[in-house]
Amino acid sequence: MASNLETLVTVFGGSGFLGRNVVRALCRRDYRVRVAVRRPELAGYLQPSGRVGQVHTVQANLRYPASVEAAMRDSDVVINLVGILAESGAQTFDAVQAKGAETVAQAAAAAGARLVHVSAIGADAESPSHYARAKAAGEAAVLAAVPSATIFRPSVIFGPEDQFTNRFAALARMSPVLPLIGEKTRMQPVYVGDVATAIADAVDGKAKAGATYELGGPEVLTMREIIEAIVAIADRKPMLVPLSFSLARFQANFLQFAPGALKLTPDQVTLLARDNVVSDAAKAAGLTLEGLGIAADSLEAIAPQYLWRFRAAGQFQRKSA
């Protein structure tokens, strides 16, 4: 029986939040992992994910096809995780999530490598959100180049170092008032470790070729319920003030230039107007975490393991009077 060490998996975007978890999952299954990133000299922290020599970083930029082709040389499987939440300079939604996905897919087709592509629930060519339209364009380009590609659409991903739960916990620590946008919008937060497991399963050959999976956690929660859970875990008690989408978009015109947790773009507000949950069609077809045999972890079970650092009392929670 062939060892996984004979299989080279190239991961584009492997240094990001989801990427480092995917690299770790692949290393645990003994794959050789090549991580293609724009700044490989800054990705040294990935080396301890595997044994000596198991993880190798190389330079690649999706806007430059030659670098993508070079990074993919001799690969058996290619995983594309590259995505952005906000545009900046040349890093636009179209350049990264549409054209970039096409570049990776065409190179994978030329190399004869299997392809796993990560998109997002909500990808829709008719969406008012530029982010969602670019994700849909990327999916279409991937399947046009590699019809056997497996596509994963996760809902909002949470876990240590995410830009979701940590962001709201940080805001709750900074301010006694927390604006609430889209309080009734439904989401299905999914743990990053579960998404990484699903991707590793696809590399193992357990996922259906040419299929699009939708990955959500065990609970469907409104935005208000999610924020209430986050601030409760962080032991903070900010006043939650609902904002209308029109007012939120007006504020986002200015906050899109803000740093860190304060940043909010008009396109992100647009995204918050639509539910972000696994569809009934995906459930019926078994194209979910459950369909892959993965028991999803809940926000309530995982988030306390890392959000404790936002508590005033550290790992300890204050006793209520």
Side-chain angles (χ1 to χ4, degrees):
M1 181 176 179
S3 166
N4 283 342
L5 283 173
E6 298 177 11
T7 303
L8 175 60
V9 183
T10 296
V11 184
F12 287 87
S15 62
F17 165 55
L18 174 58
R20 67 192 69 183
N21 285 273
V22 169
V23 169
R24 190 178 303 118
L26 293 172
C27 286
R28 288 173 178 166
R29 302 186 188 200
D30 293 332
Y31 288 104
R32 286 189 297 134
V33 183
R34 178 186 291 158
V35 183
V37 293
R38 287 190 297 158
R39 299 288 300 277
E41 71 276 11
L42 300 181
Y45 55 83
L46 292 172
Q47 298 299 328
S49 299
R51 296 191 295 274
V52 175
Q54 190 176 3
V55 178
H56 178 59
T57 56
V58 297
Q59 197 281 332
N61 188 322
L62 267 57
R63 293 187 290 111
Y64 298 93
S67 72
V68 173
E69 293 167 6
M72 206 178 293
R73 189 174 296 122
D74 299 324
S75 297
D76 298 290
V77 186
V78 174
I79 301 172
N80 182 28
L81 306 175
V82 181
I84 55 176
L85 296 174
E87 296 179 310
S88 177
Q91 298 294 104
T92 66
F93 292 137
D94 289 332
V96 175
Q97 297 175 170
K99 183 61 179 176
E102 180 180 39
T103 298
V104 171
Q106 290 177 344
R114 289 195 291 123
L115 178 61
V116 178
H117 176 73
V118 175
S119 182
I121 286 181
D124 181 357
E126 303 300 323
S127 173
S129 163
H130 191 180
Y131 170 91
R133 293 196 305 274
K135 283 290 190 181
E139 290 184 5
V142 163
L143 292 176
V146 186
S148 62
T150 299
I151 294 175
F152 286 113
R153 290 179 171 181
S155 184
V156 59
I157 302 176
F158 69 89
E161 302 155 354
D162 69 26
Q163 296 184 46
F164 181 61
T165 60
N166 285 284
R167 175 182 185 177
F168 287 108
L171 288 171
R173 180 174 60 181
M174 290 172 5
S175 172
V177 177
L178 202 59
L180 185 57
I181 304 169
E183 65 172 329
K184 295 181 180 179
T185 300
R186 299 184 307 146
M187 296 187 177
Q188 202 166 341
V190 59
Y191 175 47
V192 66
D194 294 332
V195 177
T197 297
I199 293 170
D201 281 352
V203 175
D204 283 347
K206 297 177 182 177
K208 297 178 181 177
T212 298
Y213 286 77
E214 297 186 8
L215 310 181
E219 297 178 307
V220 173
L221 303 169
T222 64
M223 191 64 175
R224 172 177 281 277
E225 289 171 334
I226 293 171
I227 302 305
E228 287 176 343
I230 291 171
V231 298
I233 293 169
D235 200 18
R236 300 287 174 172
K237 296 179 174 59
M239 178 184 297
L240 302 183
V241 180
L243 287 185
S244 66
F245 284 108
S246 58
L247 180 56
R249 289 190 185 94
F250 175 76
Q251 292 186 346
N253 288 325
F254 304 97
L255 291 177
Q256 62 183 317
F257 304 109
L262 295 174
K263 187 179 184 69
L264 177 69
T265 70
D267 198 74
Q268 289 170 346
V269 174
T270 299
L271 278 172
L272 286 170
R274 288 193 173 187
D275 289 344
N276 195 276
V277 300
V278 174
S279 67
D280 291 336
K283 293 177 185 177
L287 300 177
T288 60
L289 284 175
E290 292 76 12
L292 288 168
I294 299 171
D297 290 296
S298 69
L299 180 68
E300 183 180 13
I302 299 295
Q305 299 175 26
Y306 61 91
L307 289 184
W308 61 262
R309 63 182 180 272
F310 293 99
R311 296 173 184 164
Q315 293 190 31
F316 304 98
Q317 199 149 8
R318 290 173 295 187
K319 294 181 180 180
S320 57

Short mmCIF file of all heavy atoms in Angstrom, two decimals, residues 120-143:
data_model
loop_
_atom_site.label_atom_id
_atom_site.label_comp_id
_atom_site.label_asym_id
_atom_site.label_seq_id
_atom_site.Cartn_x
_atom_site.Cartn_y
_atom_site.Cartn_z
N ALA A 120 -17.39 29.88 -0.69
CA ALA A 120 -18.14 30.33 0.49
C ALA A 120 -19.63 30.17 0.24
O ALA A 120 -20.11 30.35 -0.88
CB ALA A 120 -17.82 31.78 0.81
N ILE A 121 -20.36 29.82 1.30
CA ILE A 121 -21.82 29.84 1.21
C ILE A 121 -22.24 31.27 0.85
O ILE A 121 -21.72 32.24 1.40
CB ILE A 121 -22.47 29.41 2.54
CG1 ILE A 121 -22.32 27.89 2.72
CG2 ILE A 121 -23.94 29.79 2.58
CD1 ILE A 121 -22.95 27.37 4.00
N GLY A 122 -23.15 31.38 -0.06
CA GLY A 122 -23.57 32.72 -0.50
C GLY A 122 -22.99 33.10 -1.84
O GLY A 122 -23.36 34.12 -2.42
N ALA A 123 -22.05 32.29 -2.37
CA ALA A 123 -21.51 32.55 -3.71
C ALA A 123 -22.66 32.55 -4.70
O ALA A 123 -23.40 31.57 -4.81
CB ALA A 123 -20.48 31.48 -4.07
N ASP A 124 -22.82 33.65 -5.43
CA ASP A 124 -23.99 33.80 -6.29
C ASP A 124 -23.68 34.84 -7.37
O ASP A 124 -23.36 35.99 -7.06
CB ASP A 124 -25.19 34.25 -5.45
CG ASP A 124 -26.46 34.41 -6.25
OD1 ASP A 124 -26.44 34.23 -7.49
OD2 ASP A 124 -27.51 34.73 -5.65
N ALA A 125 -23.80 34.44 -8.61
CA ALA A 125 -23.49 35.34 -9.72
C ALA A 125 -24.45 36.52 -9.77
O ALA A 125 -24.14 37.57 -10.36
CB ALA A 125 -23.55 34.57 -11.04
N GLU A 126 -25.62 36.40 -9.12
CA GLU A 126 -26.62 37.47 -9.14
C GLU A 126 -26.65 38.26 -7.83
O GLU A 126 -27.52 39.11 -7.63
CB GLU A 126 -28.01 36.89 -9.40
CG GLU A 126 -28.11 36.07 -10.69
CD GLU A 126 -27.78 36.90 -11.92
OE1 GLU A 126 -28.15 38.08 -11.95
OE2 GLU A 126 -27.15 36.35 -12.84
N SER A 127 -25.74 37.98 -6.93
CA SER A 127 -25.73 38.64 -5.63
C SER A 127 -25.41 40.13 -5.74
O SER A 127 -24.62 40.54 -6.59
CB SER A 127 -24.69 37.98 -4.71
OG SER A 127 -24.55 38.70 -3.50
N PRO A 128 -26.00 40.96 -4.88
CA PRO A 128 -25.63 42.38 -4.86
C PRO A 128 -24.24 42.60 -4.27
O PRO A 128 -23.69 43.69 -4.37
CB PRO A 128 -26.73 43.01 -3.99
CG PRO A 128 -27.20 41.89 -3.11
CD PRO A 128 -27.12 40.66 -3.97
N SER A 129 -23.68 41.56 -3.65
CA SER A 129 -22.35 41.66 -3.05
C SER A 129 -21.27 41.31 -4.08
O SER A 129 -21.32 40.25 -4.71
CB SER A 129 -22.24 40.70 -1.86
OG SER A 129 -20.88 40.47 -1.52
N HIS A 130 -20.30 42.19 -4.20
CA HIS A 130 -19.18 41.95 -5.13
C HIS A 130 -18.40 40.72 -4.69
O HIS A 130 -17.96 39.91 -5.52
CB HIS A 130 -18.27 43.19 -5.16
CG HIS A 130 -17.25 43.15 -6.25
ND1 HIS A 130 -16.34 44.16 -6.46
CD2 HIS A 130 -16.96 42.20 -7.19
CE1 HIS A 130 -15.56 43.84 -7.47
NE2 HIS A 130 -15.91 42.67 -7.94
N TYR A 131 -18.21 40.56 -3.38
CA TYR A 131 -17.51 39.40 -2.82
C TYR A 131 -18.19 38.10 -3.28
O TYR A 131 -17.52 37.18 -3.77
CB TYR A 131 -17.52 39.49 -1.30
CG TYR A 131 -17.05 38.25 -0.57
CD1 TYR A 131 -15.71 38.10 -0.21
CD2 TYR A 131 -17.95 37.25 -0.20
CE1 TYR A 131 -15.28 36.96 0.47
CE2 TYR A 131 -17.53 36.12 0.49
CZ TYR A 131 -16.19 35.99 0.82
OH TYR A 131 -15.77 34.86 1.49
N ALA A 132 -19.50 38.02 -3.13
CA ALA A 132 -20.24 36.82 -3.48
C ALA A 132 -20.22 36.56 -4.97
O ALA A 132 -20.14 35.40 -5.42
CB ALA A 132 -21.68 36.93 -2.97
N ARG A 133 -20.30 37.60 -5.79
CA ARG A 133 -20.24 37.42 -7.24
C ARG A 133 -18.88 36.90 -7.68
O ARG A 133 -18.78 36.04 -8.55
CB ARG A 133 -20.55 38.75 -7.95
CG ARG A 133 -21.98 39.24 -7.78
CD ARG A 133 -22.32 40.32 -8.82
NE ARG A 133 -21.39 41.44 -8.81
CZ ARG A 133 -21.50 42.51 -8.01
NH1 ARG A 133 -22.51 42.57 -7.15
NH2 ARG A 133 -20.63 43.50 -8.07
N ALA A 134 -17.82 37.42 -7.06
CA ALA A 134 -16.48 36.97 -7.40
C ALA A 134 -16.27 35.52 -6.99
O ALA A 134 -15.62 34.74 -7.70
CB ALA A 134 -15.43 37.87 -6.72
N LYS A 135 -16.83 35.13 -5.85
CA LYS A 135 -16.74 33.73 -5.42
C LYS A 135 -17.44 32.82 -6.43
O LYS A 135 -16.94 31.74 -6.78
CB LYS A 135 -17.37 33.57 -4.04
CG LYS A 135 -16.52 34.05 -2.88
CD LYS A 135 -15.32 33.15 -2.66
CE LYS A 135 -14.57 33.47 -1.39
NZ LYS A 135 -13.39 32.61 -1.18
N ALA A 136 -18.60 33.24 -6.91
CA ALA A 136 -19.34 32.45 -7.90
C ALA A 136 -18.58 32.36 -9.21
O ALA A 136 -18.53 31.29 -9.84
CB ALA A 136 -20.72 33.08 -8.13
N ALA A 137 -17.96 33.46 -9.62
CA ALA A 137 -17.16 33.45 -10.85
C ALA A 137 -15.98 32.51 -10.71
O ALA A 137 -15.61 31.80 -11.66
CB ALA A 137 -16.69 34.86 -11.17
N GLY A 138 -15.39 32.48 -9.52
CA GLY A 138 -14.27 31.58 -9.26
C GLY A 138 -14.70 30.12 -9.37
O GLY A 138 -14.00 29.29 -9.96
N GLU A 139 -15.86 29.80 -8.79
CA GLU A 139 -16.37 28.43 -8.87
C GLU A 139 -16.60 28.01 -10.32
O GLU A 139 -16.24 26.89 -10.74
CB GLU A 139 -17.68 28.31 -8.10
CG GLU A 139 -17.55 28.41 -6.60
CD GLU A 139 -18.87 28.19 -5.88
OE1 GLU A 139 -19.88 27.87 -6.57
OE2 GLU A 139 -18.90 28.34 -4.66
N ALA A 140 -17.20 28.90 -11.10
CA ALA A 140 -17.49 28.59 -12.50
C ALA A 140 -16.20 28.35 -13.28
O ALA A 140 -16.11 27.43 -14.10
CB ALA A 140 -18.29 29.73 -13.13
N ALA A 141 -15.20 29.17 -13.02
CA ALA A 141 -13.92 29.03 -13.71
C ALA A 141 -13.22 27.73 -13.32
O ALA A 141 -12.61 27.06 -14.17
CB ALA A 141 -13.02 30.23 -13.39
N VAL A 142 -13.33 27.36 -12.06
CA VAL A 142 -12.71 26.12 -11.58
C VAL A 142 -13.33 24.91 -12.27
O VAL A 142 -12.62 24.03 -12.77
CB VAL A 142 -12.87 26.00 -10.04
CG1 VAL A 142 -12.61 24.57 -9.57
CG2 VAL A 142 -11.91 26.96 -9.35
N LEU A 143 -14.65 24.85 -12.31
CA LEU A 143 -15.32 23.70 -12.91
C LEU A 143 -15.16 23.66 -14.43
O LEU A 143 -15.17 22.59 -15.04
CB LEU A 143 -16.80 23.71 -12.54
CG LEU A 143 -17.10 23.45 -11.06
CD1 LEU A 143 -18.59 23.58 -10.77
CD2 LEU A 143 -16.59 22.06 -10.64
#
